[in-house]
Amino acid sequence: MDYVDGFVLAVPTANREAYRQMADKAAHVFKAQGALSVVECWADDVPDGKVTSFPMAVQRKDDEAVVFSWITWPSKEVRDKGMKAAMEDPALDPAHNPMVFDGQRMIYGGFQAIVQL
């Protein structure tokens, strides 16, 4: 089964297009390193919670939107090699592809698929 890297972050709404461009550049790098797919989703129906929620998890501010993203890889081994190479790619260097969000509030992790239909 596939291996998935998942991400949740808060992006200033004013930076939506800049984020889309940054994510598009990164997606091409991940695909070149073996990713099967890269999906970036801008919040549309993401309610505030009372105990927990996406907005609470990333400490979303009033002028920010939640972004939910994932990269699908054919295996953890391909992901480990591909992610390492992607992080060393000059195209992802903040000097060439600046982060337009607060990376300290980003939640991320790697997941083994247990159901895939």
Side-chain angles (χ1 to χ4, degrees):
M1 284 200 194
D2 294 343
Y3 193 82
V4 178
D5 280 312
F7 309 87
V8 181
L9 51 139
V11 178
T13 55
N15 291 352
R16 181 178 174 150
E17 180 56 23
Y19 180 82
R20 190 200 62 74
Q21 291 177 16
M22 180 199 75
D24 184 69
K25 287 179 187 176
H28 283 86
V29 171
F30 291 126
K31 290 283 289 182
Q33 297 302 332
L36 299 173
S37 66
V38 179
V39 179
E40 296 278 349
C41 304
W42 193 266
D44 178 58
D45 185 12
V46 181
D48 289 324
K50 293 184 180 181
V51 177
T52 188
S53 67
F54 282 114
M56 291 170 70
V58 295
Q59 300 173 7
R60 184 186 59 84
K61 297 174 184 170
D62 289 341
D63 64 340
E64 294 178 326
V66 174
V67 171
F68 177 51
S69 310
W70 64 94
I71 305 169
T72 306
W73 303 89
S75 68
K76 185 174 190 307
E77 294 74 29
V78 172
R79 178 270 203 160
D80 289 349
K81 183 178 176 186
M83 187 62 79
K84 182 179 184 312
M87 291 299 110
E88 294 170 355
D89 191 304
L92 295 187
D93 184 327
H96 300 99
N97 198 19
M99 288 179 55
V100 295
F101 62 94
D102 181 358
Q104 292 182 323
R105 293 185 285 140
M106 179 173 68
I107 299 169
Y108 60 92
F111 300 84
Q112 294 178 344
I114 60 170
V115 174
Q116 191 169 345
L117 182 65

